[in-house]
Amino acid sequence: MAEGLRERKKRQTRQYISDVATGLFMERGFDAVTIAEIAEAAEVSVNTVYNYFPAKEDLFLDRGKGLVDRLSRFVRARAAGESAAAAVLRELREEVVSVSPKVGLIEGYDRFMKVVHGSATLQARLWHLQREQYEDLEVTLRQETGAPDGDPMPGLMAGQIGWVHQTLMTAIVQEMLAGRKPAEVSREALALLDEIEELLSERVLNYAVRADG
């Protein structure tokens, strides 16, 4: 269904406020910028900012929902004969090979992460998003395998698969913060994914294989 004029205007306003806020955060740091200053710079009211972004952290980490269900989307889209872990590894490899911003392989990502590292509030929100990602993946694995509520395996597997994603992202962040070029980091990240896969047990690599047909 086509987007209506009102919905498009709301989406554009939300994006504009987010862009203005991000620019201020990049320039001065997250904690030094107030909601009132963001509203003034975006030429909207403080209430309007809060209508779109319930918390200040949402202005900077405004794509949090995409992070939360990211691994679950990979798992749900796995091919016939492919396991949950194999699907995540394949998707991550494709993003690394294509030097995708989705895994932080973009010029300026170091500036973004410096803002995060400079704010305990943002670090706490990022940790919370990672926790939500784990919980979302556990629910998905339970649904995909039909495991009963008392079965600990979906949670254990969600932890292993989440470790794959977190280890990759931590390595990429470290290298980007060191001033490396995205294409260079991409090559090393690809080798790291191979090493990560070697560390995973056969039980993890063969969990939640999608049936043929």
Side-chain angles (χ1 to χ4, degrees), residues 24-36:
L24 291 173
F25 294 147
M26 290 290 200
E27 180 183 344
R28 295 165 49 196
F30 180 80
D31 296 331
V33 179
T34 67
I35 293 293

Side-chain angles (χ1 to χ4, degrees), residues 62-101:
D62 62 331
R63 296 178 181 175
K65 179 60 171 68
L67 175 65
V68 169
D69 68 357
R70 174 172 163 78
L71 301 183
S72 286
R73 282 185 279 113
F74 292 166
V75 170
R76 287 192 296 266
R78 70 196 186 284
E82 188 173 44
S83 71
V88 170
L89 284 163
R90 174 179 52 76
E91 293 276 6
L92 291 176
R93 281 195 178 94
E94 289 175 1
E95 292 180 351
V96 168
V97 168
S98 64
V99 195
S100 172

